[in-house]
Amino acid sequence: MTEPFVDTETDRTKSRWLANAYHDFVAEIGRSRTTLRGLFYYALQRKVSDYPICGWFVGEIRITRPYHESDGEKLPKWMGKARKLGFVPADAILDEIPGEHVFLPELCQKRPYSIEVWLNKSALNPLLFPICEKHGVTLVSVNGKASVDAIKAFYQRCNGPTVILCLSDLSSDSAFFCRDLATRIAESKISGSDTKIKLKHIGLKPDQVLELKIPMVQGRADSKENLEKFKMYLKPRSLDYRKMAELDAMEVYYPGGIAGFLDKSLSQYGCDFNLDDESWLCI
């Protein structure tokens, strides 16, 4: 039986608009796969006034305008329909996958320490793992915060000095992901163990948002305590604590996207670690 939305011209119109935005992304950015939020940031900075505003009657288009931040709420809906209608390739947009995921490289480079990249969102994994594989680095993604099982699994594969590079959104609920991870790893460390573990938050940071001119958008609902802590963190850079900037924005604002950012970071850290730098969190 034909699904109802297939017969609605409004849905077809919105889905076609999204398909056009995706194809513009591919043509301009040069990559065929990204996350839904990556496409959101691309649509947000487009200069074309072509977003269709539909009237009360099915298929009636009264006006078109530039894409607004508030339109992002409906993006998952239109993407689902665009995929079902075949306007956007099914594997082009990377989705969040529940659970904690560990990707081990086939070959590890010879270093005096092992390197792991941790982040708290899984949709970016397919973009980041090829870079981790290239550098012989382990990739770990968790939901929000690392679970007890994730920390236990880390210690099971940790057989020497280890460096952890952290990626997270600049938001009240994610900005302190690296520090929280360091605390959880330290609390689970076996008494008497002399294994050296160092962590560093490599992105997304306030200075990077300012340098790359990444737009901050409406933040997610969070506790008053987290918001106050986030407010103090952003205060030196005069950024609005009620808003956020996401890693996905690097898909648009960083050359080579989030994968390009990680590749450059690992190229730098992989051969020139200054482990005495005070910015490292030591365990």
Side-chain angles (χ1 to χ4, degrees), residues 169-238:
D169 294 339
L170 183 65
S171 63
S172 62
D173 61 348
S174 290
F176 306 105
F177 170 69
C178 185
R179 189 167 296 278
D180 178 77
L181 178 60
T183 299
R184 289 167 183 254
I185 291 176
E187 289 175 346
S188 299
K189 191 170 186 179
I190 299 174
S191 178
S193 171
D194 60 353
T195 300
K196 294 181 179 179
I197 302 168
K198 295 200 172 188
L199 297 88
K200 176 175 277 193
H201 177 212
I202 61 172
L204 194 59
K205 298 185 285 190
D207 287 345
Q208 293 167 337
V209 168
L210 292 171
E211 179 183 351
L212 297 173
K213 297 181 180 178
I214 294 175
M216 294 190 72
V217 299
Q218 186 60 45
R220 296 179 282 263
D222 205 352
S223 68
K224 183 177 180 180
E225 179 183 357
N226 281 353
L227 286 170
E228 284 298 318
K229 187 165 64 170
F230 191 51
K231 180 179 180 179
M232 295 303 296
Y233 178 53
L234 297 184
K235 188 174 181 180
R237 299 294 180 268
S238 300

Side-chain angles (χ1 to χ4, degrees), residues 119-121 124 167-170 203-204 245-251 258 261:
L119 69 161
N120 60 350
K121 55 200 314 182
L124 295 170
L167 293 165
S168 59
D169 294 339
L170 183 65
L204 194 59
E246 299 166 277
L247 285 170
D248 310 68
M250 284 193 175
E251 284 291 273
I258 186 66
F261 173 77

Side-chain angles (χ1 to χ4, degrees), residues 132-145:
C132 290
E133 181 73 63
K134 170 185 172 182
H135 291 274
V137 169
T138 296
L139 175 66
V140 182
S141 69
V142 300
N143 289 330
K145 296 182 179 181

